[in-house]
């Protein structure tokens, strides 16, 4: 009698199918969605393999394993969803290290539709940003700063309806900011600084949650846009913006303002200097003609830094600056200010003024006696004025204007 046990074809087929099905279900439920895995593979392929250091995150992407089932030191920089219903895992976060990756951002990135965070900052990615980024509708944070990306952003940015923070700073991006950016109403932080963006800045007062706006070092022109009332930090430095800055006086939560190196005209108004939260104000390198400070301003103000150097300020030094009890750094150099240095300024030196630059104006007369003190611990300069200011006093170093220049200039100022 044959000792082998035989199964009928039908029963054998059923058992094999059952086993295969069981294994398949187990395998499928542990897998990352195939299109997500393919997007990661495409991202790795888009990077020059010679620019992937052995200890970098990307070098740990071993596709013989499943991205979301991996443990230990595999697939660094990747986070996955953890569904409790045995559905496929999805990639929800890519946060690469700053390893100097040189490559392009693949269009397959748009297949990662569950992605909430994308950080490729401080690398050497280049080329245009793919329009498929608009498919990442669950993205809340995107940081692509410190790369060499080129082209515009209009083709994809409006698709990011849940984005809260966008950092595209330090790239080579160009073109305008699309007006529809104001539809991204969850935004709290925007940084587009150090690019080649141009055109007018659109009105963004509809971004009512926005707290930080940094558009510095671009090529924007035109007047200040309408801005949201909850804004806390505003940087528009190193552009070609013009017009008056009076409208900033209505933004009561501003703590930091940098408008330096533009073409703004008009006044530094009382409404700006009296902003209740303002800590730093930099309006240097513009064409502003006056600074409005009266005796009622300053008390209780948190203002610590005032930089208005290299403008076209006229008139006398504002005595009431001494009322700003937290003010520590003042720079009014390279303007057209005339008259005497107020005696009250001397009483503030070192208490709390730590820095006072009034050089390259047309100030005249004797300096307050406190400036002569050998115990003075303050940085600053009174050089290139028309003062009686001995060069033996450190703050007077550099000398004064010749008398002939002072007579003519004082007459014109």
């Amino acid at each position: 009698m044959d000792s082998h046990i035989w199964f009928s074809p039908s029963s054998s087929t059923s058992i094999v199918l059952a086993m295969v099905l069981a294994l398949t279900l187990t395998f499928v439920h542990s897998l990352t969605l195939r299109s997500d895995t393919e997007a990661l593979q495409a991202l790795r392929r888009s990077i020059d393999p010679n620019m992937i250091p052995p200890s970098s995150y990307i070098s740990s992407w071993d596709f013989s394993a499943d991205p979301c089932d991996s443990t230990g030191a595999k697939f660094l920089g990747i986070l996955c969803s953890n569904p409790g219903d045995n559905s496929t895992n999805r990639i929800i976060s890519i946060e690469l290290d700053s390893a100097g990756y040189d490559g392009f951002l693949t269009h397959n990135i748009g297949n990662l539709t569950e992605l909430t965070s994308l950080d490729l900052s401080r690398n050497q990615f280049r080329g245009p940003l793919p329009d498929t980024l608009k498919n990442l509708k669950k993205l809340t944070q995107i940081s692509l700063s410190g790369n060499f990306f080129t082209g515009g952003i209009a083709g994809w940015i409006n698709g990011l309806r849940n984005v809260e923070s966008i950092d595209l700073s330090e790239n080579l991006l160009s073109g305008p900011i699309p007006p529809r950016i104001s539809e991204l109403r969850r935004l709290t932080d925007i940084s587009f600084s150090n690019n080649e963006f141009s055109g007018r800045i659109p009105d963004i007062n509809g971004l009512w949650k926005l707290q930080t706006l940094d558009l510095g070092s671009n090529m924007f022109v035109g007047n200040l846009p309408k801005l949201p009332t909850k804004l806390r930090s505003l940087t528009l430095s190193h552009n070609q913006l013009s017009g008056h800055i009076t409208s900033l006086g209505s933004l009561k939560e501003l703590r930091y303002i940098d408008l330096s190196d533009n073409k703004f005209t008009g006044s530094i108004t009382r409404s700006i200097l009296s902003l209740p939260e303002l800590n730093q104000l930099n309006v240097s390198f513009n064409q502003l003609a006056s600074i409005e400070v009266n005796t009622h301003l300053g008390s209780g103000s948190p203002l610590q830094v005032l930089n208005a150097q290299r403008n076209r300020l006229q008139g006398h030094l504002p005595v009431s600056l001494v009322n700003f009890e937290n003010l520590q750094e003042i720079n009014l150099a390279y303007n057209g200010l005339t008259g005497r240095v107020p005696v009250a300024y001397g009483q503030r030196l070192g208490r709390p003024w730590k820095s006072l630059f009034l050089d390259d104006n047309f100030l005249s007369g004797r300096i307050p006696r406190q400036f002569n003190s050998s115990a003075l611990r303050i940085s600053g300069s009174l050089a290139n004025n028309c003062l009686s200011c001995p060069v033996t006093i450190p703050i007077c170093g550099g000398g004064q204007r010749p008398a002939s220049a002072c007579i003519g200039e004082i007459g014109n100022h």
Side-chain angles (χ1 to χ4, degrees):
M1 184 176 183
D2 196 338
S3 60
H4 293 287
I5 300 174
W6 298 95
F7 294 96
S8 68
S10 59
S11 61
S12 175
T13 301
S14 299
I15 291 172
V16 170
L17 288 173
M19 292 174 64
V20 170
L21 181 61
L23 288 171
T24 301
L25 287 172
T26 302
F27 187 60
V28 167
H29 287 160
S30 67
L31 280 178
T32 307
L33 188 70
R34 174 180 288 185
S35 60
D36 281 16
T37 301
E38 290 173 346
L40 294 183
Q41 291 172 327
L43 179 57
R44 174 160 182 157
R45 285 195 304 270
S46 70
I47 298 172
D48 182 348
N50 297 317
M51 300 297 290
I52 301 178
S55 59
S56 65
Y57 285 9
I58 292 275
S59 68
S60 73
W61 291 12
D62 178 6
F63 290 98
S64 66
D66 179 76
C68 291
D69 277 351
S70 300
T71 57
K74 291 185 177 180
F75 287 97
L76 298 178
I78 300 297
L79 292 178
C80 298
S81 62
N82 187 20
D85 57 356
N86 289 328
S87 59
T88 52
N89 293 316
R90 299 296 307 275
I91 307 295
I92 60 172
S93 178
I94 299 177
E95 298 181 17
L96 296 186
D97 51 340
S98 302
Y101 304 120
D102 184 345
F104 300 88
L105 183 55
T106 173
H107 69 276
N108 297 69
I109 197 76
N111 294 333
L112 300 174
T113 53
E114 291 293 314
L115 206 63
T116 60
S117 178
L118 177 63
D119 186 349
L120 310 180
S121 58
R122 309 295 168 205
N123 283 291
Q124 299 181 52
F125 286 100
R126 50 200 161 86
L129 293 167
D131 285 353
T132 53
L133 283 170
K134 66 186 177 184
N135 299 333
L136 307 183
K137 301 191 183 301
K138 295 189 177 181
L139 205 64
T140 59
Q141 297 182 341
I142 178 170
S143 179
L144 307 177
S145 63
N147 284 285
F148 298 96
F149 289 117
T150 57
I153 61 174
W156 57 269
I157 198 166
N158 295 326
L160 309 184
R161 293 309 176 106
N162 286 293
V163 72
E164 298 171 4
S165 175
I166 302 178
D167 187 354
L168 304 179
S169 61
E170 297 180 52
N171 279 284
L172 300 171
L173 297 167
S174 58
I177 296 178
R180 290 186 62 191
I181 195 173
S182 62
E183 298 174 8
L184 308 181
R185 293 166 66 88
R186 295 179 182 269
L187 273 172
T188 60
D189 299 277
I190 296 176
S191 181
F192 291 173
S193 63
N194 292 280
N195 278 284
E196 298 174 1
F197 289 113
S198 59
R200 293 179 176 270
I201 303 171
D203 291 337
I204 53 173
N205 51 320
L207 299 178
W208 59 277
K209 298 187 72 173
L210 193 69
Q211 296 185 7
T212 301
L213 177 64
D214 186 352
L215 304 180
S217 298
N218 282 284
M219 295 184 289
F220 292 115
V221 297
N223 297 337
L224 286 176
K226 294 179 180 178
L227 297 167
T229 56
K230 287 191 176 181
L231 200 63
R232 295 186 176 188
S233 178
L234 174 64
T235 303
L236 299 176
S237 55
H238 307 293
N239 282 285
Q240 300 176 41
L241 299 168
S242 56
H244 291 191
I245 63 174
T246 311
S247 60
L248 298 182
S250 63
L251 305 180
K252 302 301 183 184
E253 297 191 26
L254 275 174
R255 290 158 170 76
Y256 177 89
I257 300 174
D258 187 353
L259 305 181
S260 60
D261 193 16
N262 280 284
K263 299 178 180 179
F264 290 116
T265 55
S267 297
I268 307 169
T269 61
R270 284 186 287 271
S271 61
I272 294 174
L273 290 171
S274 62
L275 286 169
E277 304 292 336
L278 188 61
N279 181 269
Q280 296 186 48
L281 175 62
N282 188 348
V283 291
S284 61
F285 293 85
N286 278 285
Q287 300 171 22
L288 297 164
S290 63
I291 177 170
E292 299 177 0
V293 186
N294 60 30
T295 55
H296 303 295
L297 286 182
S299 180
S301 169
L303 187 65
Q304 294 183 0
V305 178
L306 172 61
N307 189 345
Q309 66 171 309
R310 293 187 184 270
N311 276 278
R312 298 178 180 177
L313 300 180
Q314 308 288 308
H316 292 180
L317 287 170
V319 179
S320 296
L321 281 181
V322 300
N323 295 333
F324 288 79
E325 51 203 30
N326 292 300
L327 195 58
Q328 298 181 18
E329 300 177 25
I330 301 168
N331 194 332
L332 300 177
Y334 292 91
N335 281 289
L337 297 168
T338 58
R340 295 179 176 271
V341 178
V343 172
Y345 278 28
Q347 298 166 355
R348 283 295 189 182
L349 296 180
R351 297 176 297 176
W353 292 3
K354 297 179 180 178
S355 175
L356 178 64
F357 287 88
L358 302 176
D359 46 305
D360 288 271
N361 281 284
F362 299 92
L363 304 172
S364 58
R366 295 184 178 275
I367 59 174
R369 60 179 178 79
Q370 291 89 345
F371 284 85
N372 297 316
S373 172
S374 59
L376 188 61
R377 296 290 182 267
I378 184 172
S379 63
S381 177
L382 297 178
N384 274 342
N385 279 285
C386 303
L387 293 162
S388 176
C389 193
V391 292
T392 54
I393 299 173
I395 202 168
C396 297
Q400 298 294 303
R401 297 179 185 274
S404 57
C406 286
I407 294 172
E409 291 295 342
I410 291 176
N412 293 328
H413 289 84

